[in-house]
Amino acid sequence: MKYSNPVIKGFYPDPSVCKVEDTYYLVCSSFQYFPGVPLFESKDLVNWTQIGHCLTRESQVRLSGVNSSGGVFAPTIRHQDGRFYMTTTNDTTRQNFYVWTDDIYGEWSEPVYVDQGGIDPDLYFENGRAFFMSNGLDDDGVGGVIQCELNIETGTKLSPSRSIWQGTGGRYLESPHMYKIDGRYYLMAAEGGTEYGHMVIYARSESLHGPFESYASNPVLTNRNLGGYELQGVGHGDLVQDGEGNWWMLHLGFRQIGRWLTYHHLGREVFLTPVTFGEDGWFTAGHDGITLTGFNTDRIPDTTLQRVKKSETFENTDWNLDWCYLRHPSAANYRLAHGKATLTGTEVTLDTPASPTFIGIRQKDFDATISCEVSLTGTGEAGLTLYMDENHHYDLAIRRDATGIRAITRLNVGDIKSVEHQTALPGDSVKLLIRSGHERYHFFAVIDGVEFPLGTAQTRYLSSEVAGGFTGVLIGLYAVGRDSQAEFTVFECAYI
């Protein structure tokens, strides 16, 4: 079978995976968005279905006042004795914690906090004992991957935190994961920063606590030297073994907007790469240590069909799964029904690191046509936004003030916020249309079937290279204005 990467498209970074019986479960980072930590399942590793989130209650995670790309960092999912555990970091509060559930389709527990610093935590279980790892400083101030033993019921440390591996010397050691394979302990991590220098590294030991011997050909997986290639930023992986004994790595990467255009705005996505163990017990990954946009493999049956969703609508998406809010929303401002969303505006705008009236879905491919019927009552503004963060977003909206009602395009790039184009509307409703390409967005208001151009904007100004941070573009519905109410119908994002 030949499968295509990424296997989960759009802003779903820092994947972690575990297998229980014949099903794989995967979680991703969510940062300032709520609900937190998207949760997926799969039977074949190439087709993933979102089944929930791990953090669905305000009591589980603090997001108020969190800046973009703050909040919930890289999670790990593990299963032990019939129970699922998800451990993560709230980087804004500098707290590591985990939640658990006995029902993967149900609610998760309140957080259990761990008195160990660092980020990107991992849980490892052996012989009834639980061990917690993160990357940071140990109790003696030594940096690296740090480890302690935990009481898994309470989160209490049963041993000091100790640095067990310092990586290979690359910057930003992160994403530690521990495995026991054929009697040896393998410690996998990432270095280079989650950008163009990203890479996966590993070491092994005869003991859980080290010392660890680094793989001689590290990095085991990276696309860092492939200038001019569209797939970059490969790193932050997690290993899993399939039912036939084959090993795989789920990891992040990103797609540049073009072969020689070093910008990415869809976010870091989930990629699947084959892993092969040699007779000496060391493993290799990918095609000569790089990840491809597709792999031809006999590890997956030819009867497996990789499904691609080409159109997302209000009818074929789930408000509770596919869509998300900025930080903790005020539920009274949202009425979400089959085929329709009614949003009540507030004075909080998209330019504020707070919780405006906003609900968004991730953009999953470069080429798309995005449209929605929008009506507005009251004074204010409502429409579609292509949202990277509070300082970088493009808005196509209806705006009503004392001078009348208009369709506008506003470009927000850093400190520059400008209404570039506008056209008067004959009524209080309009179809808004965005045509998306690799390099540009094109904006239109459709009145009585006629498209009125409202300008274009370069995608690069919503990229991580310009905006910074760790997220990707969301297609958002929003409303602003204390006495405004907006109704959204006939939404579609059709990928080409």
Side-chain angles (χ1 to χ4, degrees):
M1 182 230 183
K2 184 175 183 177
Y3 68 87
S4 297
N5 270 320
V7 292
I8 303 178
K9 294 183 175 183
F11 155 55
Y12 292 105
D14 308 322
S16 174
V17 63
C18 70
K19 181 175 179 287
V20 181
E21 298 178 348
D22 66 345
T23 305
Y24 306 92
Y25 300 96
L26 182 146
V27 291
C28 299
S29 296
S30 53
F31 299 97
Q32 74 270 29
Y33 291 99
F34 185 81
V37 186
L39 171 65
F40 295 82
E41 71 173 8
S42 174
K43 296 289 188 181
D44 55 24
L45 289 170
V46 297
N47 294 296
W48 293 89
T49 301
Q50 190 170 351
I51 59 172
H53 295 83
C54 299
L55 304 176
T56 57
R57 303 183 302 278
E58 189 170 349
S59 59
Q60 291 173 304
V61 58
R62 179 193 139 190
L63 294 177
S64 58
V66 168
N67 287 326
S68 292
S69 293
V72 179
F73 275 35
T76 295
I77 186 169
R78 294 293 182 256
H79 182 264
Q80 180 70 16
D81 296 332
R83 177 166 288 180
F84 290 90
Y85 296 87
M86 187 284 296
T87 183
T88 188
T89 306
N90 187 331
D91 188 62
T92 301
T93 63
R94 308 304 295 178
Q95 291 175 300
N96 285 315
F97 67 93
Y98 56 90
V99 292
W100 56 265
T101 185
D102 296 327
D103 177 9
I104 195 66
Y105 304 104
E107 288 288 306
W108 292 67
S109 72
E110 289 298 300
V112 180
Y113 293 97
V114 180
D115 186 21
Q116 178 168 294
I119 60 171
D120 298 5
D122 180 61
L123 279 171
Y124 175 76
F125 296 91
E126 181 173 288
N127 298 329
R129 301 165 71 189
F131 298 87
F132 185 86
M133 279 161 290
S134 57
N135 53 282
L137 298 176
D138 70 10
D139 289 349
D140 296 320
V142 179
V145 176
I146 54 178
Q147 177 194 80
C148 69
E149 185 177 354
L150 282 186
N151 179 329
I152 197 62
E153 297 298 323
T154 65
T156 304
K157 285 171 58 172
L158 301 178
S159 71
S161 296
R162 189 173 67 88
S163 180
I164 59 172
W165 190 45
Q166 287 74 49
T168 68
R171 66 174 182 170
Y172 303 139
L173 176 65
E174 60 186 319
S175 177
H177 291 305
M178 182 78 77
Y179 317 90
K180 190 174 185 180
I181 302 171
D182 293 334
R184 292 191 180 100
Y185 296 90
Y186 291 78
L187 180 54
M188 194 166 75
E191 289 178 339
T194 183
E195 48 195 77
Y196 292 85
H198 215 22
M199 52 186 167
V200 179
I201 59 171
Y202 77 98
R204 73 182 189 190
S205 174
E206 300 298 322
S207 166
L208 173 65
H209 310 298
F212 284 87
E213 177 190 2
S214 295
Y215 174 50
S217 297
N218 273 323
V220 67
L221 186 70
T222 185
N223 284 28
R224 66 182 179 177
N225 294 323
L226 299 180
Y229 282 71
E230 294 174 16
L231 174 56
Q232 295 284 352
V234 167
H236 201 114
D238 201 1
L239 294 178
V240 69
Q241 188 177 31
D242 68 21
E244 303 300 319
N246 302 304
W247 286 90
W248 301 85
M249 190 187 303
L250 277 299
H251 60 88
L252 63 77
F254 58 76
R255 292 176 283 167
Q256 293 178 193
I257 63 175
R259 185 174 175 85
W260 304 108
L261 296 169
T262 54
Y263 302 90
H264 74 284
H265 63 283
L266 299 184
R268 297 169 299 153
E269 306 174 290
V270 179
F271 291 76
L272 175 69
T273 296
V275 167
T276 302
F277 277 82
E279 292 183 0
D280 58 0
W282 296 103
F283 66 82
T284 59
H287 176 74
D288 295 330
I290 66 173
T291 293
L292 305 177
T293 55
F295 284 95
N296 213 331
T297 178
D298 60 3
R299 298 183 180 190
I300 301 174
D302 288 337
T303 54
T304 301
L305 178 65
Q306 188 173 16
R307 300 182 299 272
V308 179
K309 193 173 187 178
K310 301 297 288 185
S311 176
E312 293 184 311
T313 67
F314 286 158
E315 289 77 13
N316 70 8
T317 56
D318 189 318
W319 291 116
N320 297 314
L321 296 177
D322 302 289
W323 298 77
C324 59
Y325 306 91
L326 278 164
R327 305 168 188 90
H328 296 298
S330 175
N333 295 328
Y334 301 85
R335 283 189 287 139
L336 307 174
H338 184 73
K340 183 171 70 173
T342 304
L343 305 186
T344 300
T346 70
E347 294 179 345
V348 180
T349 72
L350 297 175
D351 303 333
T352 306
S355 187
T357 301
F358 165 99
I359 186 167
I361 193 168
R362 290 154 172 86
Q363 183 177 348
K364 298 182 175 65
D365 263 319
F366 297 109
D367 297 319
T369 300
I370 306 156
S371 61
C372 191
E373 299 277 356
V374 183
S375 64
L376 175 67
T377 58
T379 301
E381 181 178 307
L384 300 175
T385 181
L386 301 166
Y387 186 90
M388 183 60 163
D389 62 30
E390 55 264 22
N391 294 313
H392 301 84
H393 53 94
Y394 299 155
D395 311 326
L396 176 62
I398 300 176
R399 188 178 191 181
R400 187 202 300 272
D401 57 25
T403 64
I405 185 165
R406 303 176 302 283
I408 67 165
T409 298
R410 182 192 298 104
L411 308 184
N412 303 267
V413 181
D415 294 327
I416 303 170
K417 304 180 186 301
S418 175
V419 174
E420 291 292 298
H421 298 272
Q422 57 186 306
T423 186
L425 296 177
D428 57 8
S429 65
V430 70
K431 179 180 179 180
L432 300 177
L433 171 66
I434 302 171
R435 291 198 174 94
S436 171
H438 284 61
E439 297 181 43
R440 281 192 173 272
Y441 293 108
H442 301 263
F443 305 98
F444 304 87
V446 183
I447 304 170
D448 295 329
V450 178
E451 296 181 3
F452 289 83
L454 290 176
T456 71
Q458 296 182 61
T459 60
R460 71 175 66 189
Y461 295 115
L462 299 186
S463 70
S464 294
E465 289 76 15
V466 173
F470 308 120
T471 60
V473 168
L474 269 70
I475 302 163
L477 320 176
Y478 76 98
V480 176
R482 190 165 54 184
D483 64 345
S484 67
Q485 188 170 90
E487 185 174 282
F488 298 82
T489 56
V490 201
F491 171 85
E492 182 180 26
C493 179
Y495 292 106
I496 300 167

